Amino acid sequence: MRVTRNTRPRHRVRVPLSVVLAQLSVRAAQHTLTLQSIVVALHGRSYLVLVALLALPFCCPIPLMGLSSPFGIAIAYIGLHLSISERVYLSRRLRRIEVPSRFFPALIRGAGKLLAWLEKVIRPRAFWVGEQWFVQRATGVAICISGLLLMLPLPIPFSNSVPAIAIVILALSRAEDDGIGLLVGGLLFLFSLGFFILLGLGSAEIYDRVLQWW
């Protein structure tokens, strides 16, 4: 499946993402959804919206268990394609990934307030930022790296939330032509990168001390 981002009008009527979530929640109660069916339900909206949907549950203090690896792979895969070009090819294996029936109800309960706030804050502005080719490619790279960080099975508070928030803000800002949001998302990505670097250095230091003690 190939999707090309077309030129879109600056002022357009968009179905709120919270409404799309509610519709998907009803469908999930009836039968199992796959990433392919979610893409179809988005009615041609950018794969960036799919990325935001996959990252939203991990913005909560207690994320849904068992989803970080497959969802992180899908996010990193889409981010990799966005870092190369505007076209996204979702492989057959990724399209067949099943989303648990409890995913969307839990997402609405856990991240509903965050999503409602984002819908009010993120809006078309500073278009020239997102139109720069290097900003578009850098956004894809940041989403890809954040997706890989999301995959790490670390039992540490906020180890999922930090990269997930950066992914959501970057993806939605890019989809809605919000240049200010892209800058904020870029800063959050750098913060999350620094967080994991410090985490790695701290773990290495503890490991060395344990070896010395032993």
Side-chain angles (χ1 to χ4, degrees):
M1 175 180 295
R2 294 185 180 274
V3 174
T4 304
R5 189 184 183 192
N6 299 322
T7 303
R8 297 167 296 173
R10 295 305 183 192
H11 302 283
R12 56 196 182 279
V13 177
R14 303 282 276 177
V15 178
L17 194 53
S18 56
V19 175
V20 176
L21 278 178
Q23 295 172 348
L24 288 173
S25 181
V26 173
R27 293 182 59 185
Q30 300 172 352
H31 53 81
T32 302
L33 296 180
T34 62
L35 291 188
Q36 170 66 20
S37 60
I38 295 174
V39 170
V40 173
L42 291 176
H43 301 295
R45 296 178 78 167
S46 172
Y47 270 97
L48 291 162
V49 179
L50 174 61
V51 166
L53 283 178
L54 297 180
L56 265 174
F58 305 101
C59 296
C60 304
I62 304 177
L64 300 177
M65 302 303 295
L67 296 178
S68 60
S69 293
F71 283 17
I73 291 174
I75 291 171
Y77 183 87
I78 295 174
L80 178 62
H81 276 264
L82 293 173
S83 68
I84 299 174
S85 68
E86 289 295 300
R87 295 183 177 181
V88 175
Y89 174 77
L90 204 60
S91 67
R92 181 176 298 179
R93 168 176 282 186
L94 289 179
R95 293 201 302 267
R96 290 180 176 176
I97 291 180
E98 294 185 351
V99 180
S101 58
R102 60 188 175 90
F103 174 77
F104 289 105
L107 180 57
I108 294 174
R109 291 194 304 268
K113 293 182 178 179
L114 174 62
L115 183 57
W117 180 79
L118 289 174
E119 288 179 342
K120 295 178 181 178
V121 173
I122 296 179
R123 60 184 184 277
R125 54 186 170 178
F127 309 125
W128 60 271
V129 175
E131 290 176 348
Q132 307 301 317
W133 69 269
F134 59 88
V135 174
Q136 297 174 358
R137 301 298 178 263
T139 301
V141 171
I143 291 175
C144 178
I145 295 176
S146 298
L148 295 176
L149 295 177
L150 197 63
M151 293 171 54
L152 299 177
L154 300 177
I156 300 175
F158 304 107
S159 60
N160 279 343
S161 301
V162 174
I165 293 174
I167 292 171
V168 171
I169 293 180
L170 283 171
L172 292 182
S173 298
R174 173 82 181 277
E176 297 296 336
D177 296 321
D178 187 351
I180 304 300
L182 283 175
L183 295 177
V184 173
L187 292 176
L188 288 174
F189 165 71
L190 294 177
F191 174 80
S192 65
L193 203 58
F195 174 83
F196 278 91
I197 290 175
L198 291 177
L199 193 62
L201 293 176
S203 300
E205 180 67 19
I206 294 175
Y207 179 75
D208 289 339
R209 290 182 179 273
V210 170
L211 286 181
Q212 293 175 4
W213 176 82
W214 186 260

